Amino acid sequence: MNRLTAAADPPMADQVFAERYRAMSSRDARFDGQFITGVHTTGIYCRPSCPATTPKPGNVSFYLTTAAAHEAGLRACKRCLPDAVPGSPAWNMRDDLAARAMRLISDGIVERNGVPGLAASLGYTCRHVTRVLVAELGAGPLALARAHRAQTARLLLLNTELSITDVAFAAGFGSVRQFNDTVAAVYERTPSEVRAARLGRPGPLPHEDQAETKILLQLPARAPFDGASVLRFLATRALTGVESATDSSYTRTVRLPHGTGVVEVTRSGTDAAPAVSCNIRLSHLADLAPLVSRVRRLFDLDADAQAIDAQLAADPALADSVAQTPGLRVPGSMDAEETLFRALIGQQVSVAGARTALARLADAVGERMPGPSGDQCLLFPTAAQIAAGGRAVLRGPGARINTILHVAELLASGELALSFGQTRAELEASLMALPGIGPWTAGYVAMRVLGSPDILLTSDLALRQGAGRLGLPVAPSSLAARGTGWAPWRSYAGMHLWRAAALPKSPISPVSSKRIG
C-alpha cells in the first residue's frame, strides 16, 4: 500500500500503520528511507527519526516515496531533511513492476528517454506503468522522476559551486523555471536558500579546468555498514588501468549514458551514521544522477543491514561471522555488461587468473582516457570492442572463448539486453538460453546487477569450502536445503561463506576477519 492513514479508522487499527507509528514515535533511525511520515496538520513530511513532537495518529499518513508525499501536497521538513537518508531497500528486495521501475528511475531513464523509454524497458505500455506506480507507490513516473531530480539538485547545491543554471540542467530539469518551482515546492526554499544552508558541510572541490566537472559528494549508508569488506572484495578483482583500491578507497573509470567519468569512493561518516565520500570527475554533468545511483548499488548502501544480520545470526553456524562483520554487504555493479563479461571470463578459474585475463583484455581493446593525475587510464571495453578484438586476446578453452564472443555480438547488436529493470527470472532465463552459460553465471550476474538478496550459489567451490569451515553441509543439495532458513537474505549468507573460505583454517577471530575472498 502506498499510503497508510489512521484518519478514516480508529487510530492504530491497521497493523502496518501501528508498526510504523511506533517506529516514528520511538524516532527509530533504522526506518529512515523505508517510509515517509506525512503530518497533515503542519503540511510537511519527515523521516521517521525526526525529533519533532510526535503527532496524533489521526493527523498522520505514511508513504513509501517522497513523490507520493509531494502529490499529497506536503513539503519536506527543514529540520530532518527526509531525502538526505539512505534509500529504501525494498527496490532490490522486491522484483515486481513497481520496484523495477524505481531502479530504472533512479538510474535516470526518464530524463534520458521519457516515460515511453521507461515503459519500453519494462515491457509494458505507458498507461499500465503509470497505473501500477500510482496504485503501488502513490505517484506516477513523472512525479517519481521529479522527486529524484529534486534530491539530485539538493546534492549539487550543497556540495558544488555550480551556477544555479548548471545545477538545474545537471539534475535533469528541462528549464530553470521548472527547477526553481520544484525546489520551492519540495523544500519551501529557493535554490539559493538551499545552498546557503550548507554551513558546516564539506566544501566543494575547486574547478581546475572547464573540460570536466569535479564534484565531492557524501552518500549516506544504512547502519551497520561493513565498507571495508566491500573495498577488499573490489581490491582483489581490480583491473590495472581501469580501477584501483586500497584499504580505504576505490577508484575507477566508468562509462555513463552521456560520457565518461572517474570516481574515487572513500569510507566516511561514523559507525552510527556511516557514509561514503565520492570524489567525482565527469565529462557531462547530466551523468551525475546515474553515477550516484550506481555507486549506491556497488556499495549496497541501502541494504537493511540490521534485519539481515538478525536473520543470519539466528543460525549458530553464522552467528560468529555476523558478530565479527556486522553490516556485511553484497557488492553490486557499475555496469551490467561489464559484470557479465567478468563472470564469463571468471568461470572455472581463480580470482587472480580472471583478474589477469580481464586486465589483458581491457589493455588490448579498451578505450584510453585521461586519468585524474594527467596519466592515461582505461575504460572497460564495450561489447562491440570485445566482439571485434577479443578473439586475439582471450585465452583458454575454445568453447568458453566462443561463448564470450557470442555474448558480445548479441549485446552489441541489441539481441541480448541487460537492465536494472529486469526481473531475476527474466535475466537468468535470457542468459541460460545461451550455450555455455549455466546457473552459476546467471545467478551471480543477477545477484550483482539486480541486487537480488536471496541467491545462494551452491555450485561455487569457494562458497562450499567456506560452508565446510563453518560446519555447514558442503554438498550443493544439502547446503541449499540448509540455506532455506536464511531466506530472504541468502546472498548475504553467501558473502559470509566466501569470507570463511578466505580465512586461515584456525577459528574465526577479529584479526582474521580483515580478509575476504
Side-chain angles (χ1 to χ4, degrees):
M1 184 179 297
N2 66 78
R3 176 189 177 188
L4 289 172
T5 177
D9 301 306
M12 314 300 283
D14 182 276
Q15 181 179 351
V16 177
F17 180 95
E19 290 174 356
R20 291 178 179 173
Y21 188 83
R22 285 195 295 271
M24 178 202 68
S25 300
S26 64
R27 296 171 177 79
D28 193 334
R30 292 177 299 172
F31 295 92
D32 287 355
Q34 299 198 44
F35 63 86
I36 299 294
T37 301
V39 184
H40 298 286
T41 49
T42 60
I44 64 172
Y45 66 89
C46 304
R47 62 172 78 183
S49 65
C50 183
T53 301
T54 302
K56 296 179 179 179
N59 297 329
V60 172
S61 294
F62 295 115
Y63 303 91
L64 293 182
T65 65
T66 57
H70 300 163
E71 294 293 280
L74 304 174
R75 64 185 185 277
C77 175
K78 298 177 182 178
R79 185 174 183 179
C80 71
L81 295 175
D83 62 347
V85 296
S88 173
W91 315 136
N92 286 345
M93 286 183 60
R94 293 168 48 174
D95 211 20
D96 57 14
L97 179 59
R100 291 185 288 127
M102 286 298 290
R103 295 200 292 261
L104 289 171
I105 289 170
S106 69
D107 195 55
I109 193 171
V110 174
E111 284 72 28
R112 295 193 297 273
N113 303 324
V115 176
L118 170 66
S121 295
L122 294 168
Y124 293 95
T125 65
C126 295
R127 182 179 180 183
H128 181 70
V129 170
T130 299
R131 182 169 59 245
V132 169
L133 292 180
V134 170
E136 292 288 325
L137 305 181
L142 287 175
L144 290 163
R146 175 176 176 260
H148 187 252
R149 288 195 295 271
Q151 293 170 10
T152 300
R154 189 185 65 81
L155 278 175
L156 288 169
L157 289 167
L158 292 176
N159 293 281
T160 77
E161 293 290 358
L162 294 173
S163 69
I164 297 298
T165 298
D166 284 343
V167 169
F169 291 111
F173 289 95
S175 69
V176 175
R177 179 177 179 178
Q178 182 189 60
F179 165 64
N180 289 335
D181 290 346
T182 297
V183 171
V186 173
Y187 301 113
E188 206 181 29
R189 296 177 178 177
T190 67
S192 297
E193 290 171 335
V194 172
R195 169 163 280 171
R198 72 181 182 194
L199 184 64
R201 296 176 181 269
L205 289 177
H207 289 249
E208 298 172 359
D209 57 65
Q210 299 301 315
E212 58 185 359
T213 301
K214 303 175 186 179
I215 301 168
L216 180 63
L217 299 179
Q218 184 158 284
L219 307 179
R222 196 174 301 282
F225 173 56
D226 185 12
S229 290
V230 179
L231 289 171
R232 287 193 289 271
F233 182 96
L234 297 173
T236 59
R237 293 157 177 81
L239 308 182
T240 303
V242 176
E243 56 193 338
S244 62
T246 69
D247 290 341
S248 60
S249 68
Y250 171 71
T251 304
R252 68 157 296 157
T253 61
V254 60
R255 199 183 306 274
L256 295 161
H258 298 95
T260 60
V262 177
V263 59
E264 179 186 16
V265 183
T266 307
R267 294 167 58 200
S268 61
T270 64
D271 289 344
V276 297
S277 294
C278 299
N279 189 336
I280 298 168
R281 301 167 67 98
L282 293 174
S283 63
H284 200 297
L285 262 177
D287 284 327
L288 178 65
L291 177 59
V292 167
S293 174
R294 294 176 195 189
V295 170
R296 297 200 69 84
R297 299 185 66 78
L298 180 66
F299 282 80
D300 198 15
L301 299 181
D302 300 327
D304 190 353
Q306 292 199 17
I308 295 166
D309 286 356
Q311 176 78 5
L312 299 185
D315 188 323
L318 296 180
D320 285 346
S321 184
V322 172
Q324 291 162 24
T325 55
L328 189 66
R329 295 304 209 257
V330 176
S333 169
M334 291 284 277
D335 182 281
E337 293 185 6
E338 176 185 326
T339 300
L340 174 56
F341 286 118
R342 285 178 179 255
L344 290 172
I345 293 173
Q347 289 182 112
Q348 300 178 342
V349 299
S350 67
V351 171
R355 178 179 179 176
T356 299
L358 286 158
R360 185 170 58 240
L361 178 67
D363 183 62
V365 303
E367 180 182 346
R368 281 165 169 73
M369 61 175 285
S373 303
D375 54 341
Q376 290 286 306
C377 53
L378 293 168
L379 288 162
F380 191 86
T382 64
Q385 289 168 336
I386 293 173
R391 188 171 293 278
V393 183
L394 294 168
R395 302 287 184 269
R400 189 173 66 189
I401 293 174
N402 289 337
T403 294
I404 294 167
L405 295 177
H406 181 50
V407 168
E409 291 165 356
L410 292 176
L411 288 168
S413 68
E415 294 179 61
L416 175 65
L418 301 179
S419 164
F420 298 128
Q422 289 177 293
T423 67
R424 173 186 168 184
E426 289 171 346
L427 186 148
E428 291 183 342
S430 68
L431 294 179
M432 287 194 292
L434 302 176
I437 296 184
W440 181 91
T441 301
Y444 181 81
V445 173
M447 183 176 72
R448 296 203 55 194
V449 170
L450 302 181
S452 296
D454 201 29
I455 296 175
L456 187 64
L457 302 172
T458 55
S459 65
D460 187 272
L461 178 59
L463 187 143
R464 287 189 282 121
Q465 289 174 339
R469 293 273 187 92
L470 297 179
L472 291 162
V474 296
S477 59
S478 300
L479 182 57
R482 176 63 178 271
T484 57
W486 303 330
W489 310 115
R490 281 174 280 194
S491 298
Y492 295 86
M495 294 302 299
H496 283 282
L497 302 188
W498 270 328
R499 171 183 174 273
L503 294 174
K505 291 187 178 181
S506 57
I508 296 174
S509 67
V511 174
S512 64
S513 71
K514 293 182 180 298
R515 297 180 55 198
I516 186 169

